[in-house]
Amino acid sequence: MGTWLKMADRLSTDERLTQLNTEQIQAVIDMLCLVIYADNRMSALEEVEFESSLLKMPWIENKEQIVQARINTASSTARYANTPEDRKTIATKAAKFLEHDDVNEAVFGLAASMAYSDLVLHAREAEVLKVLASALNIDEPRAQAIQSQFA
């Protein structure tokens, strides 16, 4: 569970992420759910830890019900995003709410840390990271640099 704690640390201390509005928080949750369900290896314990970590973040102050509802919705959608086009649609829709390069890179970093959390980058996780980078307007060299922090 060290990776979940690392993710929670990043979320709670990254200044770029503490000022997100409700729509932006929902967009981040959509993207993170897309990553955690990408490899079809999400255990019940990981799901509980993921949800618990998100609910402890300072950027959800007074928004617990909104976040909980969004986790449920996004998890369901991400589980059934079986085609590259499905995943691209989710990522593109969510990215519309995240307009600043520094926030986009922070969100991509969170997604990358989650994808590498089991120390193996599965093929679908790699594909999802490419889709997210594209949706977030992060070029491939920069996306690789961010990912290398977690590989």
Side-chain angles (χ1 to χ4, degrees):
M1 290 303 130
T3 303
W4 296 111
L5 294 175
K6 186 191 294 186
M7 182 192 77
D9 261 2
R10 281 192 69 152
L11 280 170
S12 63
T13 60
D14 192 326
E15 191 62 35
R16 299 171 293 181
L17 299 175
T18 59
Q19 305 301 315
L20 300 179
N21 66 34
T22 300
E23 288 178 328
Q24 292 169 321
I25 291 168
Q26 291 175 339
V28 171
I29 292 169
D30 289 353
M31 290 182 173
L32 296 180
C33 283
L34 194 57
V35 172
I36 63 172
Y37 290 103
D39 67 358
N40 292 319
R41 291 174 172 80
M42 183 70 162
S43 73
L45 180 58
E46 287 175 319
E47 196 165 359
V48 168
E49 282 293 320
F50 174 69
E51 195 171 305
S52 176
S53 294
L54 287 180
L55 288 170
K56 291 177 185 171
M57 296 300 102
W59 44 265
I60 65 152
E61 189 173 314
N62 302 318
K63 297 178 185 172
E64 290 86 357
Q65 289 179 330
I66 293 168
V67 171
Q68 185 64 54
R70 192 51 169 212
I71 291 170
N72 293 336
T73 302
S75 294
S76 179
T77 303
R79 277 189 194 111
Y80 299 106
N82 294 319
T83 68
E85 191 58 39
D86 291 342
R87 293 183 285 277
K88 182 178 178 182
T89 299
I90 292 168
T92 303
K93 187 176 177 182
K96 290 178 183 177
F97 296 101
L98 305 170
E99 301 169 348
H100 302 288
D101 291 344
D102 56 337
V103 171
N104 291 357
E105 287 192 8
V107 171
F108 185 77
L110 288 173
S113 73
M114 292 176 61
Y116 284 95
S117 67
D118 60 359
L119 306 178
V120 176
L121 184 66
H122 301 278
R124 191 177 287 179
E125 289 171 325
E127 179 237 318
V128 167
L129 288 178
K130 284 184 181 181
V131 166
L132 291 179
S134 175
L136 293 167
N137 294 316
I138 299 171
D139 63 30
E140 188 173 339
R142 183 66 187 137
Q144 290 298 321
I146 293 168
Q147 286 181 61
S148 71
Q149 299 171 44
F150 307 102

